[in-house]
Amino acid sequence: MALLNSNCPDLKLVARGKVRDLYEVDEKSLLFVATDRISAFDVIMKNSIPGKGKILTEISLFWFDLLKDVLPNHLITAKFDEMPEKVQKYRDQLEGRSILVKKMRVVPIEAIVRGYITGSGWSEYKKKGTICDIPLPKGLVESEKLPQVLFTPSTKADIGDHDENIHPSKMVEILGDKELAEKITKSAIELYTKASDYAASRGIIIADTKFEFGLDEDNNLVVVDEVLTPDSSRFWPASKYEAGRAQDSFDKQFLRNYLESINFDKQSSIELPQNVVDDTLEKYKEAFLLLTGRNVSL
């Protein structure tokens, strides 16, 4: 059963994001619910991708476990029987797509890490020879592996607005804390490097990804939100990779390409055709199987 919007009146709704609904459970914990909504170009589409939220949840849990030695995360439990009673009463809606997490002070930065030149990075490089105003060697081609992994932060925009790519030095200004900025940079690159090495062994190139961080009660840096999903990353099949062109992908690029082909105005929510819904879901399922070696239960 597809879930476009969760409805849990006995829980306090804190926010509805592009994909996740966020509820306050008590003074120390939150419930993240991954719906089946899908967005592209910061626009939420009218219809959903049935089961997508469950796949995103399972992928995040997989990475939380694999990367916990690099940096701790905010997970309390994803086992539904371990959740508070007032959450369990909404089992029909929430099971398989929810995680109970610790409340954190969220850092107001999107921590983007790039291993390959693509997307907005490629667009900027063609114009200025830079990504986030970081100079790069001349002569790079689309989808080429970068000489070194780049940390390119962006601001966190409100829903409907666009995140803005910024130079890493601007992040220091926004945070007002050079040590924290350095810790975020180092941690994001370490997380990406471990994940991309693992994914490469499974036939997937992680071209780029986005992390979000929080600070716990003791001011320790913690990974929050989703991690390395097809919604927050570009996953390419290694067997079809070829620098110098756009790549096949396991992520939302398929949807973006469709929207570009119909001259989507990047503002209006539209109904996606069934074949686009089906093909997008297959991409997500394939990515999950390759990464984990198992099929997701929808």
Side-chain angles (χ1 to χ4, degrees), residues 19-280:
V19 173
R20 279 164 189 74
D21 292 345
L22 184 59
Y23 292 93
E24 182 179 82
V25 177
D26 55 41
E27 67 277 0
K28 291 199 169 178
S29 62
L30 300 167
L31 188 74
F32 276 51
V33 180
T35 71
D36 296 327
R37 294 193 292 271
I38 192 161
S39 69
F41 305 110
D42 293 318
V43 178
I44 300 169
M45 301 295 122
K46 283 185 178 175
N47 50 339
S48 63
I49 309 293
K52 170 177 162 281
K54 292 185 177 182
I55 298 173
L56 294 183
T57 301
E58 287 290 333
I59 290 179
S60 281
L61 290 170
F62 170 78
W63 289 119
F64 280 148
D65 185 56
L66 189 80
L67 300 173
K68 63 179 184 286
D69 294 342
V70 178
L71 203 70
N73 58 69
H74 64 164
L75 181 68
I76 297 172
T77 187
K79 294 175 181 172
F80 211 75
D81 290 339
E82 293 177 2
M83 294 197 187
E85 241 177 79
K86 61 181 177 180
V87 173
Q88 290 193 36
K89 68 190 289 188
Y90 300 111
R91 184 184 291 267
D92 288 354
Q93 287 181 64
L94 305 182
E95 191 169 22
R97 58 172 77 247
S98 305
I99 57 173
L100 190 69
V101 304
K102 299 167 194 162
K103 268 191 189 174
M104 299 278 165
R105 285 176 291 139
V106 176
V107 176
I109 288 291
E110 303 271 4
I112 297 165
V113 187
R114 302 172 191 265
Y116 293 74
I117 187 165
T118 185
S120 63
W122 171 239
S123 300
E124 182 185 328
Y125 177 78
K126 284 190 292 181
K127 290 176 191 165
K128 304 196 298 182
T130 60
I131 296 181
C132 282
D133 293 327
I134 300 167
L136 291 174
K138 291 180 179 175
L140 297 179
V141 297
E142 184 176 9
S143 305
E144 187 171 345
K145 188 171 185 178
L146 290 163
Q148 63 185 61
V149 173
L150 277 189
F151 175 74
T152 60
S154 76
T155 58
K156 278 172 67 78
D158 293 329
I159 294 173
D161 292 334
H162 295 277
D163 298 335
E164 179 193 347
N165 291 341
I166 55 175
H167 188 275
S169 62
K170 184 116 183 264
M171 176 177 73
V172 180
E173 290 175 32
I174 290 169
L175 297 178
D177 186 333
K178 188 179 179 188
E179 191 179 330
L180 176 59
E182 287 172 351
K183 173 81 171 167
I184 288 170
T185 303
K186 181 172 178 284
S187 299
I189 290 172
E190 285 179 1
L191 289 164
Y192 170 82
T193 301
K194 181 167 183 178
S196 60
D197 287 350
Y198 170 82
S201 75
R202 309 288 299 187
I204 290 179
I205 291 169
I206 303 177
D208 55 32
T209 194
K210 174 185 73 178
F211 296 107
E212 296 200 34
F213 295 104
L215 296 167
D216 68 12
E217 294 170 339
D218 299 318
N219 244 23
N220 296 312
L221 195 66
V222 176
V223 181
V224 303
D225 203 28
E226 64 180 333
V227 180
L228 290 149
T229 72
D231 270 16
S232 64
S233 320
R234 282 187 176 88
F235 290 162
W236 296 340
S239 61
K240 296 180 180 178
Y241 171 72
E242 184 184 5
R245 60 168 176 83
Q247 305 300 306
D248 294 334
S249 71
F250 294 116
D251 51 54
K252 287 198 295 188
Q253 197 58 45
F254 178 86
L255 172 59
R256 293 188 197 101
N257 292 346
Y258 164 74
L259 294 171
E260 295 276 22
S261 76
I262 61 166
N263 296 315
F264 178 60
D265 66 8
K266 301 185 181 178
Q267 293 180 339
S268 314
S269 180
I270 65 165
E271 186 94 11
L272 299 172
Q274 192 58 45
N275 68 302
V276 174
V277 170
D278 293 343
D279 289 350
T280 300

Side-chain angles (χ1 to χ4, degrees), residues 51 54-59 62 96 198 202 281-298:
K54 292 185 177 182
I55 298 173
L56 294 183
T57 301
E58 287 290 333
I59 290 179
F62 170 78
Y198 170 82
R202 309 288 299 187
L281 182 59
E282 284 308 309
K283 294 283 185 191
Y284 279 63
K285 285 162 80 171
E286 191 179 353
F288 182 81
L289 177 61
L290 275 173
L291 286 171
T292 68
R294 52 193 174 88
N295 288 301
V296 69
S297 174
L298 297 181

